[in-house]
Amino acid sequence: MSTATTPADSPSARSGSADRPEGAPLSAEIVTTGTEILLGEIVDTNAAWIAQQLREAGVNLYYKTTVGDNEPRLRGVIELGLSRSDVILVTGGLGPTADDITRQAIANATGRPLVLHEGALAALQERFARFGVPMTENNRQQALIPAGAILIENPVGTAPGFIVETERGTVIALPGVPREMKHLMTETVLPYLRARSGHTGIIRRRILRTVGIGESAIDSRLRDLMDSANPTVGLAAHMGQADVRITARAATADEAEAMLDVLEARIRERIGEFIYSTTPDEPFERAVVSLLQAAGATVAVLESDPPGILARRLSTGLESYQPVSAAWMVGAPDTPEPVQRVLAGLPAPQELSETQVQSVAQALRQATGTTYGLLWLGTAGADEGVFGRTPGKTWLAVAGPGGVTTASVPFGGQDEYTLVRISNQALGVLWQQLRTSS
């Protein structure tokens, strides 16, 4: 078990909080070191994991920074952090090589000399002896920590962490190896932070995934709710859709969840028809196919260029259910003859009427005997698209037990963003019909 050598509730453990109101949550920031991370050669998973743990501990996270293996730059980031945050968590750069500069940068930023920690050195020597490997001289630097720092023992690796408490704030150094970092965070750092924060509660978050409504439209409907300090409302735009993030702080998890329940209910009163899931990262097609599965419904799909996107999304929505009974491109020779008859002689998508679109969707459903007929008829010029230079047109329709629902989109195109936007809207028409009939 990793342990800090100074009790977390000692007077020194409360340093750096003189300007923080009593009972207020700690503010923190994460600094990830490593040129390989800065250049994108390695994905930084440590920061995301630490952020999740801080949220659960009720610590406010305001900044994340990635710095290469450069001591002056890292020192500058730490000094900036000490001017604005109660706690800075630094990961990486505690190894034995020349580019492991974290301990020196923290020492310089906090005005502390590096000193040899005899206990850490003994632990290192014992570990190498157990492995039957000679300990080289450069490994001794892993036992150097800033004077007065609290050592965090590392029983699952060779690099111990440490905590430096100053009047300006606290710097916590953790190894960059994820397994080691997580162990030290769980066993030592999180209990330390909870004690520092006076157990001021926890933070709970919920994601409301939407489709069919833009970020600006959501903002206009929820603007007054977004001014609240606790719970809070935030937006995150993705390709063709947007998430509403709601967050609450409370003394207990149950209290926080109750706050989120109330806030979610208010949000649903305003944009509930666009919310399809509260599961983070759940794709829209999964929600649609789940409704199809619950209804035991099947779908026939007819698409113009580009081919196959609707059928593909529906076919991959759930492994346990395949709702697509048949799918064709417009003009395919094996398209059912009744559908071909309706299509024959129709004008280009720009000239189609809603009645003509409805007749194609109805013919598709009747010819295949499926529960729903899903139609996409649109232009696909190379210079079209949501941000294209040439106007286009796309018609969408769903024929089902409740009749035919249509939608028109004032663009076509071939780029990925446009295809996601249009296919989301097409699936949205199907989704609305399923919700109405369920």
Side-chain angles (χ1 to χ4, degrees):
M1 176 178 177
S2 54
T3 58
T5 58
T6 297
D9 58 353
S10 66
S12 63
R14 293 191 293 273
S15 63
S17 58
D19 296 329
R20 183 167 55 90
E22 185 176 353
L26 289 172
S27 64
E29 57 187 273
I30 299 169
V31 178
T32 305
T33 70
T35 301
E36 69 280 6
I37 296 174
L38 186 65
L39 298 180
E41 297 170 0
I42 295 177
V43 176
D44 179 16
T45 59
N46 281 352
W49 187 88
I50 292 173
Q52 293 166 1
Q53 307 312 304
L54 294 178
R55 184 185 72 215
E56 295 298 314
V59 177
N60 286 331
L61 177 64
Y62 292 143
Y63 305 97
K64 290 183 186 178
T65 308
T66 301
V67 189
D69 298 315
N70 179 282
E71 193 278 329
R73 285 195 285 271
L74 177 55
R75 183 201 326 154
V77 167
I78 295 169
E79 290 172 344
L80 175 62
L82 287 171
S83 72
R84 64 190 183 185
S85 299
D86 297 316
V87 179
I88 307 165
L89 296 101
V90 185
T91 66
L94 297 180
T97 61
D99 61 353
D100 289 311
I101 45 79
T102 294
R103 58 179 60 83
Q104 187 64 64
I106 294 175
N108 291 340
T110 57
R112 310 283 185 91
L114 287 175
V115 297
L116 183 67
H117 192 288
E118 295 295 343
L121 179 61
L124 271 174
Q125 292 170 333
E126 188 275 333
R127 179 174 292 274
F128 277 95
R130 188 167 4 119
F131 291 157
V133 178
M135 191 180 90
T136 57
E137 184 62 25
N138 60 351
N139 282 112
R140 290 176 61 89
Q141 80 175 37
Q142 293 183 283
L144 295 174
I145 66 173
I150 303 169
L151 183 76
I152 307 176
E153 297 174 4
N154 182 0
V156 295
T158 60
F162 54 83
I163 302 170
V164 181
E165 298 173 335
T166 76
E167 292 183 356
R168 292 182 293 163
T170 297
V171 185
I172 301 176
L174 295 166
V177 178
R179 180 177 67 92
E180 298 180 29
M181 178 276 296
K182 290 179 180 180
H183 185 89
L184 271 60
M185 273 290 295
T186 302
E187 296 296 323
T188 301
V189 175
L190 289 174
Y192 170 88
L193 292 177
R194 290 191 182 98
R196 276 283 306 274
S197 63
H199 302 278
T200 55
I202 63 169
I203 299 172
R204 282 288 186 267
R205 184 186 65 163
R206 194 173 296 173
I207 305 293
L208 309 180
R209 306 217 73 193
T210 73
V211 74
I213 183 172
E215 184 180 23
S216 59
I218 295 175
D219 178 83
S220 67
R221 298 192 188 193
L222 305 182
R223 175 58 64 90
D224 61 312
L225 301 180
M226 297 175 71
D227 293 333
S228 170
N230 184 36
T232 61
V233 179
L235 305 181
H238 303 284
M239 187 179 293
Q241 60 189 92
D243 290 343
V244 181
R245 296 176 286 104
I246 58 176
T247 306
R249 174 189 294 277
T252 67
D254 288 344
E255 291 176 6
E257 292 293 343
M259 293 170 66
L260 292 179
D261 288 341
V262 172
L263 181 57
E264 180 180 341
R266 296 183 65 186
I267 292 172
R268 285 186 179 275
E269 289 175 356
R270 305 184 189 188
I271 60 168
E273 68 271 27
F274 302 106
I275 298 171
Y276 72 85
S277 177
T278 57
T279 301
D281 301 323
E282 181 176 17
F284 185 37
E285 53 265 33
R286 182 176 300 171
V288 175
V289 176
S290 294
L291 290 178
L292 289 167
Q293 182 181 36
T298 55
V299 182
V301 183
L302 180 63
E303 305 177 63
S304 59
D305 288 334
I309 186 170
L310 290 177
R312 183 168 61 253
R313 289 185 67 176
L314 288 171
S315 297
T316 59
L318 284 176
E319 292 183 3
S320 60
Y321 192 69
Q322 290 297 318
V324 180
S325 295
W328 295 277
M329 276 185 60
V330 172
D334 60 339
T335 305
E337 194 273 336
V339 179
Q340 293 191 41
R341 283 201 308 269
V342 177
L343 286 170
L346 288 182
Q350 297 97 318
E351 307 300 327
L352 282 171
S353 68
E354 184 176 20
T355 300
Q356 289 171 320
V357 174
Q358 290 174 338
S359 65
V360 179
Q362 286 173 326
L364 177 64
R365 177 176 181 248
Q366 292 167 359
T368 57
T370 53
T371 315
Y372 295 95
L374 177 59
L375 177 66
W376 173 337
L377 294 176
T379 58
D383 58 350
E384 295 179 12
V386 176
F387 306 108
R389 294 172 297 175
T390 302
K393 183 66 173 287
T394 301
W395 278 99
L396 307 169
V398 174
V404 184
T405 305
T406 63
S408 63
V409 181
F411 51 82
Q414 300 178 15
D415 65 278
E416 183 183 9
Y417 181 75
T418 297
L419 298 183
V420 172
R421 281 280 299 269
I422 296 175
S423 61
N424 275 350
Q425 188 157 347
L427 294 177
V429 176
L430 176 58
W431 180 55
Q432 292 291 355
Q433 275 220 18
L434 285 161
R435 292 182 65 198
T436 301
S437 61
S438 60

